[in-house]
Amino acid sequence: MVTLKINERNKLSHIAPEIYGHFSEHLGRCIYEGIFVGEDSSIPNENGMRTDVVTALKALQVPLLRWPGGCFADEYHWQDGIGPKNTRKKMINTHWGGVVEDNSFGTHEFMELCRQLGCKTYVNGNVGSGTVREMSEWVEYMTFDGVSPMAQLRQENGHKDPWKVDYFGVGNENWGCGGNMRPEYYGNLYRQYQTYVRNYHPDRPVQKICCGPNVDDYEWTRILLDTTFTRCPKDQHGQMDLLSLHYYVVPHNWEHKGSATEFTPEEWYLTLHKALYMDELIRKHGQIMDEYDPEKAVGLSVDEWGAWYDVEPGTNPGFLYQQNSLRDALVAGITLNIFNKHSDRVRLACLAQMVNVLQSVILTEGEQMLLTPTYHVLHMYRYHQNAHLLESSLENVDFTGIDQIRVPKLTESVSVDDQGIITVTLANLSATEGETVRLQLAQQGYRVTEAKIVSGEAINSHNTFEAPETVTEAQLKVEGLEFDLPAASVVMLRLEK
Ligand code: AHR
């Protein structure tokens, strides 16, 4: 038996809702088909957005959406995506499948989507192939309400009032697809570009996100922070609010990643082992950030995370369409527990990507839609949003795995909301063995008011359009403060006095 000790008297960091954010790129069938079908589609929609998808996403309480990329962001010229649809420029999406991008989903459509979702907006600007002026004018177009050419253009295009841009990314992966830059060079460009990302509303400023490292590129973090913090007034913290980090769980390697649904128990553990690596990445990049920013004024924005497998057989390799199994539920449960535990530094994160691309919460096929195992984990974990992390630890947890690949059997995180309701989330990483768990709080009198579980008959159980509820949320049986956690499962419990 394992004991989960919770000290509900010790509130740690605030869990920013934005940690539960999403990412939607002009990639494959994410935006087009997955979210946006156009006003004239036979698929029910509101202003072009699929009603079924938006309804399902609202139940997740999506706090934030990042757009338009990704690699696409550094090729995107925002003026191509405004004005009457029949006059919008067409282009080839060279990064993703070589398909024609007709720009029918642009700034106005993104803002409309966020309005329907009731979420914050994270717009990613173009440094790789765009100009300072282009970036500056986009911000002016979206957020300025005075007299200016861009504010007037927005009004001519039918939107009188400015929108709220909550976060603005100054480039994406500028060490790679965003221009293949070196850290000093990007750092200097960041200083320049961000200067013209104007805050027209000091009461609700745009938070600026600087392009941080690829996985474990600690040299990028160090040199970039050195470049941005040098000769910058101390209280301006390198002129950034957040620094990004991108990390994908790839079971094998980029040439042969592995199948999303056909995998062995060894590959199960290999994948979960790689998901756990997120903890080390946050700690080590965080240590470097601490040297420049000991007050932790700058947050970490893990704005691309998730599992990346080989595409489903027969699909366009550039569309990154993959299935989603119980293993992905574990990747999500493990990763979100890590983010919660590091919520003093991690202030934003985006699962890649929202619909039909990589580790999606939703898959669509024509008018059909299904919720993936990952969806159900995010749904259970939604209670952590805006809560406070509590001190908690597991006692008597073994390691499990096969041969050299060892992982802790369980991971957890615990939070308390403003009403004093405690949320516990746990993941059992073992492919074969269950575990009995007992909750031990500092005070007496707590009882479980809600308990849910995501598990399956096999480690590769997944939902199909023929059987869409193979993996879903079920009731977890609890006796007092004790319960059995089956092999390969993620659970959520709510506790009240
Ligand atoms: O999410 C897919 C791609 O992965 C993004 O476009 C890019 O930023 C990353 O390399």
Side-chain angles (χ1 to χ4, degrees):
M1 155 129 44
V2 164
T3 303
L4 172 55
K5 287 182 87 174
I6 302 168
N7 183 359
E8 69 278 15
R9 293 193 174 113
N10 193 10
K11 275 190 188 177
L12 304 171
S13 40
H14 172 241
I15 299 176
E18 289 87 340
I19 288 178
Y20 289 81
H22 291 257
F23 172 36
S24 59
E25 181 166 10
H26 287 240
L27 195 176
R29 297 185 302 116
C30 180
I31 302 248
Y32 300 112
E33 286 187 42
I35 298 171
F36 181 74
V37 286
E39 294 83 347
D40 300 333
S41 172
S42 59
I43 297 175
N45 68 84
E46 184 185 345
N47 297 327
M49 315 297 157
R50 287 182 74 129
T51 312
D52 53 354
V53 169
V54 169
T55 304
L57 292 171
K58 280 171 87 164
L60 280 189
Q61 292 171 13
V62 168
L64 159 128
L65 185 58
R66 176 175 183 239
W67 171 82
C71 294
F72 185 77
D74 281 280
E75 279 195 328
Y76 184 60
H77 300 287
W78 68 272
Q79 295 235 16
D80 297 348
I82 56 168
K85 295 223 167 147
N86 58 0
T87 63
R88 294 190 191 178
K89 283 185 194 161
K90 293 186 172 53
M91 66 184 272
I92 300 291
N93 189 334
T94 50
H95 267 296
W96 306 119
V99 290
V100 173
E101 163 65 60
D102 68 2
N103 279 302
S104 54
F105 189 97
T107 304
H108 291 247
E109 290 73 24
F110 172 67
M111 293 296 179
E112 166 62 12
L113 172 60
C114 292
R115 184 195 68 76
Q116 290 186 23
L117 292 173
C119 73
K120 289 191 174 175
T121 56
Y122 172 177
V123 176
N124 211 114
N126 177 348
V127 171
S129 69
T131 62
V132 177
R133 176 174 179 177
E134 183 180 4
M135 184 177 285
S136 173
E137 289 186 337
W138 197 8
V139 174
E140 182 186 322
Y141 185 87
M142 292 186 285
T143 64
F144 190 54
D145 56 359
V147 178
S148 86
M150 292 304 114
Q152 190 181 333
L153 185 58
R154 183 191 67 241
Q155 287 165 15
E156 285 165 11
N157 286 330
H159 210 274
K160 184 176 169 296
D161 295 327
W163 294 285
K164 171 115 175 62
V165 173
D166 297 287
Y167 298 90
F168 193 88
V170 181
N172 167 73
E173 297 196 351
N174 302 92
W175 35 260
C177 65
N180 289 305
M181 300 172 192
R182 296 198 294 188
E184 302 88 333
Y185 183 71
Y186 170 73
N188 285 319
L189 284 187
Y190 178 80
R191 295 177 74 118
Q192 180 189 4
Y193 275 67
Q194 72 76 34
T195 308
Y196 301 94
V197 175
R198 302 277 190 215
N199 265 320
Y200 294 107
H201 305 276
D203 51 321
R204 45 183 183 135
V206 179
Q207 302 216 35
K208 296 172 191 176
I209 304 185
C210 178
C211 169
N214 181 25
V215 193
D216 58 353
D217 189 349
Y218 300 111
E219 193 192 4
W220 176 277
T221 302
R222 184 173 292 288
I223 297 176
L224 175 68
L225 292 183
D226 210 54
T227 311
T228 49
F229 274 69
T230 301
R231 287 171 172 265
C232 173
K234 252 205 158 96
D235 61 349
Q236 289 187 21
H237 311 289
Q239 285 144 341
M240 66 184 80
D241 298 288
L242 294 126
L243 179 73
S244 70
L245 163 67
H246 289 182
Y247 172 55
Y248 286 99
V249 171
V250 179
H252 294 286
N253 54 55
W254 287 105
E255 286 66 49
H256 162 60
K257 300 182 247 331
S259 159
T261 51
E262 303 297 317
F263 54 85
T264 62
E266 283 85 349
E267 287 173 304
W268 163 274
Y269 286 115
L270 182 64
T271 308
L272 302 191
H273 190 266
K274 292 195 171 185
L276 288 159
Y277 184 47
M278 182 66 89
D279 183 68
E280 179 176 327
L281 292 173
I282 295 169
R283 272 189 295 106
K284 289 194 171 166
H285 286 295
Q287 275 160 15
I288 300 171
M289 291 171 80
D290 284 345
E291 289 175 33
Y292 294 87
D293 169 37
E295 312 90 42
K296 295 186 172 31
V298 177
L300 202 53
S301 167
V302 191
D303 44 41
E304 289 188 30
W305 71 270
W308 192 324
Y309 308 118
D310 294 332
V311 297
E312 289 306 308
T315 63
N316 186 329
F319 280 15
L320 310 186
Y321 176 72
Q322 64 189 43
Q323 248 294 357
N324 194 292
S325 78
L326 185 55
R327 178 174 57 165
D328 298 285
L330 268 289
V331 169
I334 291 167
T335 307
L336 293 168
N337 282 338
I338 293 171
F339 290 160
N340 287 344
K341 294 264 182 194
H342 286 288
S343 47
D344 59 333
R345 183 62 94 172
V346 179
R347 312 251 170 81
L348 190 159
C350 300
L351 175 60
Q353 297 194 7
M354 201 172 221
V355 187
N356 291 333
V357 171
L358 300 176
Q359 191 177 342
S360 304
V361 289
I362 290 175
L363 301 179
T364 68
E365 201 54 74
E367 63 183 16
Q368 291 179 289
M369 177 198 87
L370 66 79
L371 309 178
T372 66
T374 300
Y375 176 96
H376 293 294
V377 170
L378 269 98
H379 188 251
M380 293 195 303
Y381 276 57
R382 72 193 186 286
Y383 293 121
H384 285 305
Q385 291 187 34
N386 217 12
H388 276 85
L389 182 71
L390 286 179
E391 180 188 343
S392 63
S393 60
L394 289 161
E395 288 193 345
N396 301 326
V397 182
D398 293 333
F399 273 73
T400 181
I402 294 180
D403 299 331
Q404 309 300 319
I405 316 164
R406 313 301 296 169
V407 295
K409 193 168 167 189
L410 308 183
T411 79
E412 56 78 29
S413 65
V414 184
S415 70
V416 63
D417 68 14
D418 289 345
Q419 281 78 50
I421 306 174
I422 293 175
T423 300
V424 174
T425 48
L426 278 153
N428 183 352
L429 284 61
S430 172
T432 51
E433 282 173 35
E435 184 66 81
T436 304
V437 178
R438 186 167 60 96
L439 305 179
Q440 186 188 311
L441 292 107
Q443 297 158 295
Q444 305 281 314
Y446 281 98
R447 62 194 169 84
V448 174
T449 53
E450 188 182 345
K452 291 273 172 69
I453 178 165
V454 172
S455 63
E457 280 181 12
I459 54 173
N460 66 346
S461 292
H462 57 277
N463 297 334
T464 62
F465 292 101
E466 293 70 43
E469 304 218 331
T470 307
V471 182
T472 183
E473 284 156 79
Q475 297 299 330
L476 173 72
K477 229 178 112 220
V478 181
E479 305 248 342
L481 294 181
E482 238 177 74
F483 53 92
D484 288 329
L485 196 53
S489 64
V490 183
V491 302
M492 182 280 298
L493 300 101
R494 301 268 281 166
L495 297 164
E496 285 178 57
K497 267 212 174 181

